[in-house]
Amino acid sequence: MDLILCHTTADFDALGAAVGLTRLLPGSKIVLTGGCHPPVQDFLALHRDEYSLIERRSVNPEKIRSLTVVDTQQRDRLGKAAQWLDLPNLREIIVYDHHLGQESDIRATRSHISSVGATTTLIVEQLQQQQISLTPAEATVMALGIHVDTGSLAFDQSTPRDALALAWLMQQRASLSVISTYRDPGLSWQLQQLLTKSLENLEYLCLHGYTVAWVTLKTAGFVPGLSSLASELVELTEIDAILLANEYPLGESDSRLTVIGRSQIPKTNLNLLFQLLGGGGHSQAASLNLRKVDSQAILKQLLDGIKAQIPHPPTARDLMSSPVRTILPETTIAEAQRILLRYGHSGLSVVDAQKQLVGIISRRDIDIALHHGFSHAPVKGYMSRNLKRITPDTTLPEIEALMVTYDIGRLPVLENEQLVGIVTRTDVLRELHQNSPESQLSLPTQHGLNPSYPLTGLNIELQKKLAPQLWQLLTKASQEAEKRGWHLYLVGGAVRDLLLAQASGTLMIKDIDLVVDGFHKSADVGAGVELAKALQQLYPAARLEIHGAFQTAALLWHKDPELDSLWVDIATARTEFYPYPAANPEVEASSIRQDLYRRDFTINALALRLTIPRAGVGAQHAAPLLDFFGGLIDLQAKQIRVLHANSFIEDPTRIYRGVRFAVRFGFEIEPQTEEFIRYAINSGVYDRTAQENSRTPALQTRLKTELKHILEAPYWKSALQLLDNLGALQCIHTTLKLDAELLRQLRLLERCLRRFDPQPTLMHWEMRLETLIAHLAPEYGVKVAKNLQLPEDSIARLKNLTQVQTQVMTLLPTLQRPSQVVQLLRQCDLPMLILIAVQSPREIRHQIWKYLTVWANVQPLLNGNDLKKLGYKPGPQYRQILDDVVAATLDGVIKDRREAEEFLAKHYPD
């Protein structure tokens, strides 16, 4: 175990440095050795789950391998954890600090001490050197460390190195709104006096869960730094917006009014309000200066403007995850851990036999119980019973306040005493982040996206993007969902293609995936099927297919005058679990968030909400985008990034999908995703799972489906080359490689298909797949074909290929006459001849080519009617006679009808 120790009463610099070190020292854990500053405590109340923090009491000292101490060189600042410095089994003790001239009593094996404003700066410099990227949560806390310890670069100890470190953290998407919330730059003496006066005279109003305050300060003259005072008031009073007015005289008959505005309320825009009066700024911060005006009238006008802008806040119903995974109080700690592992949750709700909520147990609780050897104990001994409950209508500000006040990571949502959902820290952070200024994303305008759209607040004008008949269909579907109180989402590839579409024109998408999320309204697992049936009543021309095992239904149109051959899949939101690698997943009904989480790549884990999210918000023609995993960023970066580290181990077909998307869109496979692919392939897990399990659909039917998509696409050659570069052709067979000979055969195959099957009667993708399989050693081909469940004729062809090819290659060079060649080769169908041709030497291939282009098309100079007129009695001999005529024609014995009749008279005189 590798530990990073923060000093007691940890500040943001200690925490930020420790978080950065977890990236430099993979697998290491952070220990807060004894409390932290109040702002840090408030910060962790919301963000704790983002970092690798563990409790000091859960550490087994015998397992500690190394210690890294940050922001101190003194043992006594490590509390009881200082005892670990003397452990005999320690391999290394490392110290990072920025306090020079101090005597250290820590026996360090390595020290990094430098004269900078913050210890975090030292960590940032090493991260840059190693080219390690950060998550926004990591970058934010590190930036806070530098801001707080340097007074936002205003303290004397600040250095250019600190400024450069902050700049890099901003590039890593550190959240400026979070930083401004938790940093404390301090106020001048004059501003401190005005702060006291402001607190005494602040007026408030509450609207939609948000608090707006205002105050007018009359001073003898201009006061610098009022913006800092406004920010301090926001922090001290925990208000959401403030108007701070300062009125002072300029002479006997003149005066000036300065108004500073600050807002943390999503979707408010102070810049617009202040511009109307000659001021301006940003959406969250603006100011104005006026002379000879009625200050109270101006303040009222601005206040009315803010009130008009305040949106209805999100409620628990909008944020919560449902259904909630529950366990009984008697469930063992070990079983609870297994459930957490299966579903990826950070906690579980505990209910009694009557389904009444009695407690919650977190992953941290379970980890501690396991550490102490209580895997067999029931969870009721470790669960939290003193629960804070909320209702579906509880607003986001109320939820946030409860989490911070009581340091709660998850809040159960109850309606009529029934558990209908749960809101976690992650849900709150996601909602806060998606409305923050730094979540703005610029995507290329050629992709039809407005560069000012926010990351997850983006609204797609579907009515302008989609063909009218599709827009009408989706509108009707959303109306049917709303009737039942459900949410309906357009998900996956259709969303991706809408975002990548050109700005002009409308799309007629042929394949649409819809997901119904209705658990907050007690929709059962059949919600998707119910909606599909309702839609079929409106579109009777559509054929309905129901797949009960996966809780999905499909509506299919065939050459419809308006919708053409449209395919609409409608599913209930679900989560999935793979019982073993390459198996079919086991699915369970769930929420839209979990439904997107189970998908393959970030660019396919996007959703557009078609139903109106809540009263007063948005319009039905503008669909809000859900992007929980950075799919938009990856679209902008033109990269394919997988959602989970184990994704390819669970489902190898995702490798083929990733390659298909990369080649189709001209994207790159993100480096770590490529590492995951190579690890999965080289691990041997596919061979092991095939040996241990009779059914491995992801290496059989689902793999064949992906191969079909690739091999029938115009970019199939590039896709095969990329699959080969990744080693992924091993999923077909461990010996399959795209070597020079196989590439030559594939080129010959394309020539054959263009020449001999120009109006496709053969399945060209199957011929390409058969060519790949035929390149394997003969003993493997049939087994692979059966594994991929190819058609019977393909399997038979591959089974007989070696024997027939040997026969052709042996006999063909010995034949002197064209008729002999025809007699030999007409025993083979066209696919067999093509397979033989691409694998044969030039001489053999030339003969087959001539047979297919010339000799096989030669017709007899006489037909049955001619034979009848010549006096031949109809019967089986007609076939033999005509075959002999054809053979004589091929060999040049006869050239016209007269010679044909003479040939008959000679060889068939009777």
Side-chain angles (χ1 to χ4, degrees), residues 355-430:
K355 304 296 183 182
Q356 297 295 304
L357 182 69
V358 294
I360 286 182
I361 187 164
S362 69
R363 183 183 296 278
R364 191 167 28 162
D365 299 328
I366 291 173
D367 287 344
I368 291 174
L370 289 171
H371 168 73
H372 291 298
F374 289 99
S375 60
H376 61 285
V379 296
K380 63 184 178 183
Y382 292 85
M383 67 186 187
S384 300
R385 299 174 183 271
N386 185 20
L387 304 178
K388 298 297 178 184
R389 297 169 169 83
I390 57 177
T391 71
D393 297 321
T394 305
T395 64
L396 175 60
E398 294 171 316
I399 293 169
E400 186 180 0
L402 279 172
M403 286 185 170
V404 171
T405 302
Y406 298 101
D407 191 13
I408 299 172
R410 53 197 57 79
L411 289 168
V413 185
L414 278 77
E415 187 172 31
N416 299 324
E417 296 303 315
Q418 293 298 309
L419 183 63
V420 295
I422 194 157
V423 176
T424 67
R425 286 192 184 100
T426 302
D427 299 325
V428 172
L429 289 173
R430 185 180 292 113

Side-chain angles (χ1 to χ4, degrees), residues 687-707:
D687 286 337
R688 290 196 302 272
T689 195
Q691 292 170 8
E692 295 169 0
N693 301 280
S694 59
R695 292 188 69 253
T696 52
L699 293 169
Q700 297 170 328
T701 51
R702 300 211 317 268
L703 179 58
K704 184 184 79 169
T705 299
E706 284 304 318
L707 283 166

Side-chain angles (χ1 to χ4, degrees), residues 181 215 218 314 442 448 502-503 579 746 855 897:
T181 299
V215 66
K218 295 188 177 183
S442 292
Q502 298 296 322
L746 289 170
W855 296 333
R897 182 183 180 90

Side-chain angles (χ1 to χ4, degrees), residues 265-506:
I265 303 174
K267 300 182 182 179
T268 55
N269 192 325
L270 297 182
N271 183 44
L272 291 177
L273 294 178
F274 279 63
Q275 277 183 346
L276 297 174
L277 296 170
H282 303 287
S283 61
Q284 304 293 296
S287 63
L288 60 81
N289 289 287
L290 300 172
R291 296 178 66 173
K292 293 184 178 181
V293 294
D294 183 343
S295 61
Q296 296 309 302
I298 295 295
L299 207 57
K300 183 178 184 304
Q301 182 177 342
L302 291 171
L303 188 61
D304 290 342
I306 291 177
K307 289 162 60 178
Q309 287 186 344
I310 295 177
H312 290 259
T315 63
R317 194 184 301 280
D318 302 307
L319 302 175
M320 69 187 187
S321 298
S322 63
V324 183
R325 199 69 52 195
T326 61
I327 56 177
L328 295 170
E330 293 75 25
T331 305
T332 66
I333 291 291
E335 176 64 11
Q337 184 197 37
R338 189 192 67 79
I339 294 171
L340 287 181
L341 175 65
R342 172 166 179 156
Y343 297 104
H345 294 343
S346 59
L348 293 168
S349 298
V350 185
V351 298
D352 60 19
Q354 288 73 44
K355 304 296 183 182
Q356 297 295 304
L357 182 69
V358 294
I360 286 182
I361 187 164
S362 69
R363 183 183 296 278
R364 191 167 28 162
D365 299 328
I366 291 173
D367 287 344
I368 291 174
L370 289 171
H371 168 73
H372 291 298
F374 289 99
S375 60
H376 61 285
V379 296
K380 63 184 178 183
Y382 292 85
M383 67 186 187
S384 300
R385 299 174 183 271
N386 185 20
L387 304 178
K388 298 297 178 184
R389 297 169 169 83
I390 57 177
T391 71
D393 297 321
T394 305
T395 64
L396 175 60
E398 294 171 316
I399 293 169
E400 186 180 0
L402 279 172
M403 286 185 170
V404 171
T405 302
Y406 298 101
D407 191 13
I408 299 172
R410 53 197 57 79
L411 289 168
V413 185
L414 278 77
E415 187 172 31
N416 299 324
E417 296 303 315
Q418 293 298 309
L419 183 63
V420 295
I422 194 157
V423 176
T424 67
R425 286 192 184 100
T426 302
D427 299 325
V428 172
L429 289 173
R430 185 180 292 113
E431 183 70 23
L432 293 174
H433 173 70
Q434 73 181 31
N435 292 300
S436 64
E438 59 275 9
S439 67
Q440 301 294 310
L441 175 71
S442 292
L443 284 173
T445 54
Q446 65 265 31
H447 284 163
L449 296 177
N450 185 330
S452 66
Y453 278 149
L455 180 64
T456 49
L458 183 142
N459 293 293
I460 304 298
E461 297 286 341
L462 284 181
Q463 193 167 8
K464 296 178 181 178
K465 285 274 194 179
L466 289 173
Q469 59 270 38
L470 277 186
W471 159 245
Q472 185 179 37
L473 171 67
L474 294 182
T475 300
K476 290 180 178 178
S478 64
Q479 290 170 350
E480 290 297 321
E482 285 174 348
K483 286 179 185 177
R484 295 160 174 80
W486 303 336
H487 286 321
L488 184 66
Y489 298 87
L490 178 68
V491 301
V495 181
R496 178 198 64 225
D497 294 344
L498 278 169
L499 292 169
L500 291 175
Q502 298 296 322
S504 58
T506 58

Side-chain angles (χ1 to χ4, degrees), residues 161-293:
R161 292 167 64 183
D162 300 300
L164 291 171
L166 271 179
W168 183 77
L169 291 170
M170 289 180 68
Q171 291 176 338
Q172 300 293 305
R173 295 181 291 151
S175 172
L176 300 182
S177 61
V178 174
I179 292 169
S180 65
T181 299
Y182 291 98
R183 69 177 175 83
D184 181 15
L187 297 175
S188 66
W189 180 86
Q190 184 181 18
L191 289 177
Q192 290 180 33
Q193 302 301 308
L194 291 175
L195 174 62
T196 301
K197 187 175 181 180
S198 299
L199 292 172
E200 292 173 352
N201 295 282
L202 269 180
E203 297 182 73
Y204 302 88
L205 70 83
C206 292
L207 184 64
H208 301 322
Y210 297 104
T211 302
V212 181
W214 65 96
V215 66
T216 301
L217 300 173
K218 295 188 177 183
T219 60
F222 170 74
V223 178
L226 282 177
S227 59
S228 297
L229 175 58
S231 299
E232 186 72 12
L233 284 169
V234 170
E235 292 185 18
L236 286 175
T237 59
E238 297 184 352
I239 55 179
D240 302 295
I242 189 171
L243 293 173
L244 174 62
N246 176 215
E247 191 175 14
Y248 57 93
L250 292 176
E252 291 185 1
S253 59
D254 197 3
S255 64
R256 171 165 291 186
L257 175 68
T258 297
V259 182
I260 306 292
R262 294 288 184 271
S263 175
Q264 300 180 84
I265 303 174
K267 300 182 182 179
T268 55
N269 192 325
L270 297 182
N271 183 44
L272 291 177
L273 294 178
F274 279 63
Q275 277 183 346
L276 297 174
L277 296 170
H282 303 287
S283 61
Q284 304 293 296
S287 63
L288 60 81
N289 289 287
L290 300 172
R291 296 178 66 173
K292 293 184 178 181
V293 294

